[in-house]
Amino acid sequence: MALLSVKTDGLNARLIELKLGANRLGRHPDNDFQIEHPTISSVHCEMVLQDSGVILRDLESTNGTFVNDEPVREVKLSPGQTVRLGDVELLVETTDAKIAIPQFANAELPAPPVVSKDGALICSRHPHAPVSHQCTACKEIMCEACVHRLRRKGSKKVLMLCPLCSGSVESIGGSAKGKKKSFFSRIVGETVKMKLSGLIRR
């Protein structure tokens, strides 16, 4: 961004970093940059930062605005010039209006879910496979073929991992470890157990 440095003694020399658009300078605290000095007007001037550079405009100040000791009403500033507001001098360091755009590292983002005509979720990487698993970390949904399986040496347990973040993957809809017994089948089972235990005691 455009920078100006305050050169006048007694003002706690500092840098003025202009924002895009109009920047007002003056003695009043409502200005974008307050400069407390008796020779500066309440609203002294404005500096407009554009793509093409900085435009300086005097705002009917009492003691005038100068660039390299020449009085100005409106002028485009260049690096190295001296701007004087009343008796306060500023040095134009830069007039750039460059905006830094953050760079993002290339990363594989979760693919959006695909919905079939009958409303079922289809794996975005395998168009003919239904969604059967979901990552517990990044919440990516996937089919059976997408799941990375890893078995530790000496262990029978297989780890199911997400292809995107390596998080743990779980089956959607719960585990398939056998169906739950109905209420009727449990009652019958308990009755049979009771009769058998009674016969054994006799």
Side-chain angles (χ1 to χ4, degrees):
M1 287 294 189
L3 291 173
L4 294 94
S5 56
V6 180
K7 293 299 182 185
T8 302
D9 293 334
L11 291 177
N12 297 325
R14 57 196 172 97
L15 285 176
I16 294 175
E17 183 175 355
L18 302 180
K19 68 179 188 300
L20 285 172
N23 300 261
R24 292 201 164 189
L25 290 81
R27 198 174 65 253
H28 196 277
D30 286 346
N31 288 286
D32 297 292
F33 298 98
Q34 182 186 17
I35 303 176
E36 297 183 76
H37 193 276
T39 64
I40 289 183
S41 297
S42 181
V43 181
H44 197 102
C45 69
E46 70 176 3
M47 297 183 184
V48 182
L49 179 58
Q50 304 170 335
D51 292 339
S52 57
V54 179
I55 304 296
L56 169 64
R57 294 192 187 103
D58 181 76
L59 298 177
E60 304 295 331
S61 63
T62 301
N63 294 311
T65 300
F66 304 82
V67 174
N68 291 344
D69 288 327
E70 294 292 327
V72 296
R73 284 300 209 185
E74 181 173 325
V75 66
K76 184 175 181 179
L77 296 178
S78 299
Q81 290 180 322
T82 299
V83 175
R84 182 162 57 83
L85 313 178
D87 291 339
V88 176
E89 286 191 349
L90 310 173
L91 176 65
V92 181
E93 303 281 356
T94 65
T95 58
D96 296 333
K98 293 179 180 177
I99 302 174
I101 300 174
Q103 299 294 321
F104 294 94
N106 293 329
E108 186 181 358
L109 298 176
V114 179
V115 182
S116 65
K117 292 180 181 179
D118 62 358
L121 288 178
I122 303 297
C123 180
S124 58
R125 285 172 289 275
H126 301 92
H128 302 293
V131 167
S132 58
H133 293 77
Q134 184 174 30
C135 177
T136 58
C138 71
K139 305 305 179 185
E140 169 72 348
I141 55 177
M142 64 202 75
C143 70
E144 188 76 25
C146 291
V147 180
H148 289 180
R149 287 173 169 76
L150 179 66
R151 178 176 292 174
R152 292 177 180 172
K153 188 175 181 181
S155 173
K156 293 181 179 180
K157 185 177 179 181
V158 177
L159 299 176
M160 296 193 299
L161 305 176
C162 175
L164 298 184
C165 71
S166 296
S168 178
V169 170
E170 290 182 348
S171 297
I172 293 177
S175 175
K177 295 180 180 178
K179 296 181 180 179
K180 290 184 178 179
K181 292 182 179 180
S182 67
F183 176 76
F184 179 75
S185 62
R186 281 182 293 171
I187 292 295
V188 172
E190 292 298 327
T191 303
V192 171
K193 285 181 182 178
M194 288 174 65
K195 286 185 177 181
L196 287 174
S197 62
L199 289 171
I200 292 170
R201 285 176 185 171
R202 289 177 188 176

